[in-house]
Amino acid sequence: MGMMRSTNESKLTGFILLGFSDYPQLRKVLFVVILILYLLTIFGNTTIILVSRLESKLHTPMYFFLSHLSFLDICFTSSVIPQLLVNLWNPMKNITYSGCVVQLYVSLALGSTECVLLAVMSYDRYIAVCRPLHYTVLMHPHLCMALASLAWLSGVVTTLVQSTLTLQLPFCGHRQVDHFICEVPVLIKLACVDTTFNEAELFVASIIFLITPVSIILVSYGYIAQAVLRIKSVSGRKKAFGTCSSHMMVVIIFYGTIIFMYLQPAKSRPKDQGKFVSLFYTVVTPMLNPLIYTLRNKEVKRALKKVLGKILGINFT
């Protein structure tokens, strides 16, 4: 009865996201930096979506998936960063129970979707580089739509399972979440009962959504590297390696930091290290994606100039 009353108390009063409370000297600096990165994320990813839609030359599978990635990053950061900014600015770091639930379900769904989508994108690049003559046949619109739908569906399924199981745990009145986001590992750590089943389920889900996509990406880029080495043109090899290395940098940052958070036992995770690591996949990589994938691309730069020229009535040379 006491445990049920304490659990209901958490539902009524919500939680306190401690975030970076132990570093008061960093709060204002983090607020400014994260706000700038958030605005850049919104601007960069919105630009990619608009240019990909408005420029007919970019109506290809690669930019179809990039548009989905950009939309994902806008939604994912918007589910996390506004609350983080409020907590950095405001001494009161409360979040309602319903607000925590929404953040948990939405952020996990979008994060899981991105894990699968990045693997899909690596397969697209493998077909484009290793089987260029069959690219348009293999990566036809129906397959692209099916792969994108699979990524979104997998994210919805995993959040319905993981988030629901996590929220069924009793918290016994524990309200202080030692993080800046309502996330599965930190809520499991908050529970006052044995969480062996939840941690085992989280581990299995992490293998499916982290290790499996990373393996697909590494295999795809292994074949791509072999194909690139066979290119006789030095400039061609340099361009191909530049594209591949950029993609791999995002993969390492994104998957590496999430693996650090999700493949460690919740009880043994370092107190503050996880918060700073989480900033990479919640703030940094969504901002880097448009820079690395497209804004460095000459094709996108030409398309951006063309679209801006039409809108502003200016002929860019």
Side-chain angles (χ1 to χ4, degrees), residues 44-317:
N45 285 292
T46 302
T47 300
I48 296 308
I49 294 171
L50 290 176
V51 172
S52 298
R53 294 287 182 181
L54 296 175
E55 177 51 55
S56 58
K57 290 183 179 178
L58 299 184
H59 291 174
T60 63
M62 176 182 173
Y63 293 102
F64 170 78
F65 292 127
L66 281 171
S67 295
H68 278 266
L69 180 64
S70 293
F71 179 70
L72 262 174
D73 284 337
I74 290 172
C75 295
F76 180 60
T77 53
S78 297
S79 72
V80 175
I81 294 182
Q83 180 67 49
L84 171 58
L85 292 173
V86 169
N87 289 348
L88 285 171
W89 187 261
N90 194 337
M92 299 296 292
K93 304 181 184 304
N94 295 335
I95 183 172
T96 63
Y97 181 81
S98 58
C100 185
V101 169
V102 170
Q103 188 180 71
L104 178 66
Y105 274 98
V106 173
S107 62
L108 182 58
L110 296 171
S112 301
T113 300
E114 184 159 343
C115 288
V116 177
L117 185 62
L118 287 172
V120 170
M121 290 169 63
S122 71
Y123 173 74
D124 170 67
R125 291 298 85 206
Y126 159 74
I127 298 296
V129 175
C130 299
R131 304 186 66 182
L133 298 178
H134 302 91
Y135 181 68
T136 53
V137 176
L138 294 174
M139 298 302 294
H140 53 83
H142 293 298
L143 177 61
C144 292
M145 184 61 71
L147 291 173
S149 300
L150 175 64
W152 283 97
L153 181 62
S154 62
V156 171
V157 170
T158 190
T159 196
L160 289 176
V161 174
Q162 287 194 62
S163 298
T164 302
L165 288 174
T166 302
L167 291 171
Q168 287 177 346
L169 292 170
F171 301 121
C172 302
H174 297 161
R175 297 181 56 225
Q176 294 189 342
V177 179
D178 196 15
H179 210 300
F180 60 83
I181 177 177
C182 289
E183 203 170 27
V184 171
V186 293
L187 290 178
I188 288 177
K189 192 175 181 180
L190 201 66
C192 57
V193 294
D194 180 46
T195 57
T196 302
F197 173 78
N198 295 79
E199 292 190 40
E201 187 276 331
L202 179 61
F203 181 81
V204 172
S206 299
I207 295 295
I208 295 172
F209 284 92
L210 295 175
I211 304 302
T212 303
V214 167
S215 301
I216 293 172
I217 291 170
L218 291 177
V219 170
S220 297
Y221 276 86
Y223 282 112
I224 289 172
Q226 291 179 353
V228 168
L229 290 173
R230 290 196 293 267
I231 298 176
K232 295 181 180 180
S233 168
V234 176
S235 60
R237 281 201 304 268
K238 186 177 179 181
K239 180 181 178 181
F241 270 122
T243 302
C244 295
S245 61
S246 297
H247 189 178
M248 288 305 298
M249 185 172 75
V250 173
V251 166
I252 291 169
I253 295 174
F254 182 74
Y255 286 102
T257 52
I258 296 182
I259 287 172
F260 177 87
M261 278 297 296
Y262 279 78
L263 283 180
Q264 287 190 76
K267 304 292 184 182
S268 65
R269 190 170 294 108
K271 181 173 181 266
D272 293 323
Q273 200 173 11
K275 300 176 190 177
F276 290 97
V277 168
S278 297
L279 285 175
F280 281 93
Y281 62 82
T282 56
V283 180
V284 177
T285 53
M287 184 273 298
L288 287 177
N289 280 338
L291 293 174
I292 287 175
Y293 283 115
T294 51
L295 296 183
R296 295 173 68 251
N297 190 315
K298 291 181 180 179
E299 193 176 32
V300 175
K301 288 180 180 179
R302 284 195 295 267
L304 184 58
K305 288 181 180 180
K306 184 178 177 181
V307 170
L308 286 175
K310 288 180 180 179
I311 296 173
L312 301 175
I314 300 173
N315 184 21
F316 291 98
T317 55

